[in-house]
Amino acid sequence: MEHIKLVQTPTEGDARELSLDGDMGVYAEEAVGLRGYSPTVSLKGRHRIVSTPPRDIELPVKLRTPAGSTAYETLCDICSNSLNTPTRIEVDGWSQDIVVTAADVRSVTPTIREVTLGITLCTGYWYRLGETQRIGGSREPFIVFPYMNAGLDYPHDYPYDYMSPPAPTTVAIDTTQRGDDVLLRIVWYAADEPPSLTINGNTYAYNHTIPSDDYVTVDPLMHTVTRRTLNTEGATNTLRYAERGGGVNSGRYIFQPQTAAEPKLEVVACTPSLVDITPIYRRIWL
């Protein structure tokens, strides 16, 4: 493991980060407890049911605490606040929501303090954000010559107009991430008709128009669909407009995961509205 840190995101104010690499006085060493995976398997008739319940681990850390150091206070402050404030642990870009349920002090010297953190890994999955990619949208005229903006026309007429290049119709997938599958965070912008798109036979649809200056975010991690207005705070829960069909693999599920094996996901039947898609790689192991 190269980089490990705690990230806390309160509902108000800026996010707080605490590096466990040693550069902020807190060192998690090999962080062995985070490695591996532990799903549960049960049988129902002839079917296997695999689930990823929360998992409790221990994470020993060492703190350099010379005179004037606040490393211990900062660690305990973030850990205790994790009981009621969204907190995640990030390891080499992969993250998972956590709750720190205990901080046991093992030894204290004038310069070193050893603490064992009791951590609950809340989801059983590790996630990594990919690159946001823009798909679809109307094709606006592409201004080639500066004097066009001054009301001057090109001195020759042609039977076609200069247009912007066609919008991409695929979502690039980084197959080197070795994710088990890929979730899609979708953001639709102002749309005169209910927006939708289809990938690998599944239709992601929002059954309502989107007013001007508004955008709708589909978050597959939190299973939320919210509408926001540009440059304003607050969000409106609009999950009722999201097409959920019969759930996973029903063909019309707004949170449907996709395979991570192919380098591109083909987007078909995309409505004219502008849409941003962010792949979120998911796996159970670290």
Side-chain angles (χ1 to χ4, degrees):
M1 295 182 182
E2 297 181 0
H3 302 290
I4 178 172
K5 62 181 177 181
L6 300 177
V7 181
Q8 198 160 76
T9 52
T11 54
E12 297 182 359
D14 298 330
R16 304 173 61 194
E17 294 187 2
L18 177 63
S19 170
L20 304 184
D21 295 340
D23 53 333
M24 297 180 68
V26 186
Y27 182 45
E29 300 181 312
E30 295 87 358
V32 175
L34 295 174
R35 298 178 183 269
Y37 63 93
S38 183
T40 62
V41 180
S42 60
L43 297 177
K44 186 176 182 179
R46 296 186 178 182
H47 300 283
R48 286 181 299 176
I49 300 175
V50 180
S51 59
T52 56
R55 180 162 67 102
D56 295 324
I57 61 106
E58 290 188 347
L59 182 65
V61 297
K62 292 183 178 179
L63 299 89
R64 296 192 302 271
T65 55
S69 171
T70 60
Y72 177 70
E73 289 79 1
T74 301
L75 176 68
C76 287
D77 187 38
I78 288 180
C79 290
S80 61
N81 283 331
S82 74
L83 297 172
N84 49 38
T85 302
T87 305
R88 67 181 185 274
I89 190 166
E90 291 190 5
V91 182
D92 297 339
W94 293 89
S95 66
Q96 183 167 176
D97 291 340
I98 65 167
V99 174
V100 183
T101 57
D104 296 327
V105 179
R106 299 298 186 182
S107 67
V108 179
T109 69
T111 58
I112 297 292
R113 190 172 299 192
E114 296 183 3
V115 179
T116 298
L117 301 179
I119 294 178
T120 298
L121 302 173
C122 294
T123 64
Y125 280 106
W126 294 93
Y127 300 94
R128 186 185 185 104
L129 287 179
E131 180 182 353
T132 299
Q133 301 160 61
R134 180 151 292 180
I135 304 294
S138 60
R139 304 200 321 172
E140 299 297 333
F142 179 65
I143 302 302
V144 179
F145 300 103
Y147 57 73
M148 284 184 175
N149 291 330
L152 301 177
D153 195 6
Y154 190 65
H156 301 285
D157 289 327
Y158 294 97
Y160 51 83
D161 294 325
Y162 291 101
M163 301 292 287
S164 60
T169 58
T170 59
V171 178
I173 299 299
D174 186 356
T175 57
T176 64
Q177 296 299 334
R178 299 186 182 276
D180 296 333
D181 55 18
V182 179
L183 304 177
L184 301 179
R185 177 175 293 160
I186 301 172
V187 179
W188 277 298
Y189 297 92
D192 294 331
E193 60 181 278
S196 67
L197 57 90
T198 300
I199 298 177
N200 285 342
N202 185 81
T203 296
Y204 302 82
Y206 183 79
N207 299 319
H208 199 274
T209 58
I210 303 174
S212 176
D213 293 332
D214 282 13
Y215 62 97
V216 169
T217 302
V218 178
D219 188 338
L221 298 183
M222 302 302 295
H223 277 210
T224 60
V225 179
T226 54
R227 190 186 73 233
R228 290 178 170 86
T229 301
L230 295 174
N231 302 320
T232 62
E233 296 182 358
T236 302
N237 178 7
T238 57
L239 181 63
R240 64 186 181 277
Y241 297 132
E243 182 67 57
R244 286 172 283 172
V248 178
N249 298 327
S250 66
R252 296 189 63 83
Y253 185 50
I254 195 71
F255 304 119
Q256 177 70 32
Q258 295 288 339
T259 177
E262 299 297 330
K264 291 183 179 181
L265 297 176
E266 189 75 23
V267 180
V268 299
C270 185
T271 55
S273 59
L274 194 65
V275 56
D276 287 339
I277 299 179
T278 305
I280 303 175
Y281 304 96
R282 179 173 71 168
R283 67 189 190 192
I284 63 173
W285 58 274
L286 188 67

